[in-house]
Amino acid sequence: MTPQDQQDRADRAGLLYGFAAYAFWGLVPLFWPLLEPAGAVEILAHRMVWSLAAVGLVLLALRRWSWIRPLLREPRRLGMIALAATVISINWGLYIWGVNSGHVVEAALGYFINPLVSIAFGVLLLRERLRPAQWAAVGVGAVAVAVLAVGYGKLPWIALTLAFSFATYSLAKKRVGLDGLESLAAETAVQFLPALGFLIWLGARGDSTFASEGAGHAALLASCGFVTALPLICFGASAVRLPLSTIGMLQYVAPTFQFALGITVFHETMPPERWAGFSLVWLALALLTWDALRTARRARRELADATARAAALSATVEAGLVPETVISDVATADAAVPDVAVPDAAVPDAAVPDARPGSISGG
């Protein structure tokens, strides 16, 4: 098998894993109603408890424990993990409540606009500079929120809370710098004791559905850990095989599936003004996607040109026509290849990828 064949095979596998992860996240609205009559807070607590168990088993199988001791010696990173655990708890809880309360379409909207909120955070908090197309996308997104506010008769607070909580979560995770499984283990470790305490209290009051609704219901609640861990594992397998630009395009699979489920399965209404607002959101995302692809194409072209010039100069030096110092000067000049800005992945209801290929953690 040639190197190109191996790369093609890896790309196909990466696309398959990536699509599986995002499709799983997109179809998860079908799962939460199965857990009723448990309320959203009880479901959330079970998700926290069983997610730690599931991720712990994966880390045990992979023998990935070396990160724990250094982390415990860094209070600043521990504080960021606590912040990440807090905001993802808000995100998870609101998402579960939104789905089980008939707001699947608005929940999908939250993950559609999450990249725009992440860009706004980059400008306001990290002093990042935007390209004109990115400014245009943010402006169109702001108009979309205004149109949707008119359509809903109020601000789409579920969507906005999901988007802002996930953007905050992404920012905190970037500061922590852990890979996805390790980061999720640390976050659920923070969540575990409060969640377990709540479940014990709920059981003592006689309000827990875990033991009162039969073995099938208990098994479904316990499977929350599997529902959290499986798409993360698939995403990790995708991240080591695909460039970030491709992953950035896949991110829209999940909210698209959620939106389709909201209309076709949950039969939520979509009056014209909501269609107008969603259309503006999709226009903003199309601008971001076009800008990311154009920037990536330009970066690849400049890198290829720099490589070609270096090869030509090397051949000239070997022929004894140019001193070697010239190559060093040119290589230094060609090293400045523009960064490729890809919107933060809107990973619904899970962990966001960070900027490092091969990692899971970042949304």
Side-chain angles (χ1 to χ4, degrees), residues 29 52 68 71 87 91 123-124 194 197 215 251 256 261 281 320 335 352 354:
L52 180 60
I68 296 178
L71 178 63
V87 292
N91 185 277
V123 173
L124 298 175
Q251 69 176 293
T256 299
L261 287 175
V281 170
V352 69
D354 67 14

Side-chain angles (χ1 to χ4, degrees), residues 60-80:
L60 181 63
L62 298 176
R63 298 182 179 180
R64 284 163 58 171
W65 302 108
S66 60
W67 55 275
I68 296 178
R69 192 169 294 175
L71 178 63
L72 293 176
R73 293 195 292 263
E74 300 185 50
R76 184 180 180 85
R77 293 177 76 195
L78 290 173
M80 283 291 124

Side-chain angles (χ1 to χ4, degrees), residues 41-43 45-46 49-50 194-204 208:
V41 180
E42 183 182 359
I43 295 171
H46 276 286
V49 169
W50 296 109
L196 183 62
F198 174 79
L199 292 176
I200 293 172
W201 174 77
L202 205 62
S208 172

Side-chain angles (χ1 to χ4, degrees), residues 65-284:
W65 302 108
S66 60
W67 55 275
I68 296 178
R69 192 169 294 175
L71 178 63
L72 293 176
R73 293 195 292 263
E74 300 185 50
R76 184 180 180 85
R77 293 177 76 195
L78 290 173
M80 283 291 124
I81 287 173
L83 174 61
T86 300
V87 292
I88 200 60
S89 298
I90 295 170
N91 185 277
W92 283 358
L94 181 59
Y95 184 82
I96 294 168
W97 177 85
V99 169
N100 286 356
S101 301
H103 300 284
V104 177
V105 169
E106 190 176 347
L109 173 64
Y111 292 113
F112 274 128
I113 66 176
N114 172 249
L116 301 172
V117 175
S118 294
I119 288 176
F121 273 23
V123 173
L124 298 175
L125 302 179
L126 303 179
R127 306 298 182 187
E128 294 177 357
R129 299 179 62 184
L130 299 186
R131 295 183 293 273
Q134 292 173 313
W135 277 116
V138 172
V140 172
V143 173
V145 170
V147 171
L148 287 165
V150 173
Y152 280 100
K154 60 183 183 344
L155 279 176
W157 67 272
I158 296 174
L160 292 174
T161 304
L162 289 173
F164 276 88
S165 62
F166 204 83
T168 304
Y169 175 65
S170 305
L171 187 63
K173 286 178 72 70
K174 288 180 184 297
R175 299 292 177 87
V176 171
L178 283 176
D179 282 351
L181 284 174
E182 288 89 341
S183 181
L184 185 63
E187 292 154 18
T188 50
V190 172
Q191 297 168 332
F192 179 80
L193 287 179
L196 183 62
F198 174 79
L199 292 176
I200 293 172
W201 174 77
L202 205 62
R205 290 184 53 188
D207 293 332
S208 172
T209 64
F210 185 74
S212 62
E213 295 294 325
H217 179 72
L220 282 172
L221 286 172
S223 68
C224 288
F226 169 80
V227 167
T228 301
L230 179 62
L232 279 176
I233 294 170
C234 290
F235 181 83
S238 174
V240 299
R241 292 170 172 86
L242 294 177
L244 284 177
S245 57
T246 303
I247 293 173
M249 302 307 107
L250 285 173
Q251 69 176 293
Y252 302 121
V253 169
T256 299
F257 274 33
Q258 293 168 7
F259 178 80
L261 287 175
I263 294 176
T264 61
V265 176
F266 296 95
H267 305 294
E268 295 185 21
T269 58
M270 281 291 291
E273 56 271 21
R274 291 186 195 172
W275 278 112
F278 269 86
S279 297
L280 288 171
V281 170
W282 294 330
L283 174 60

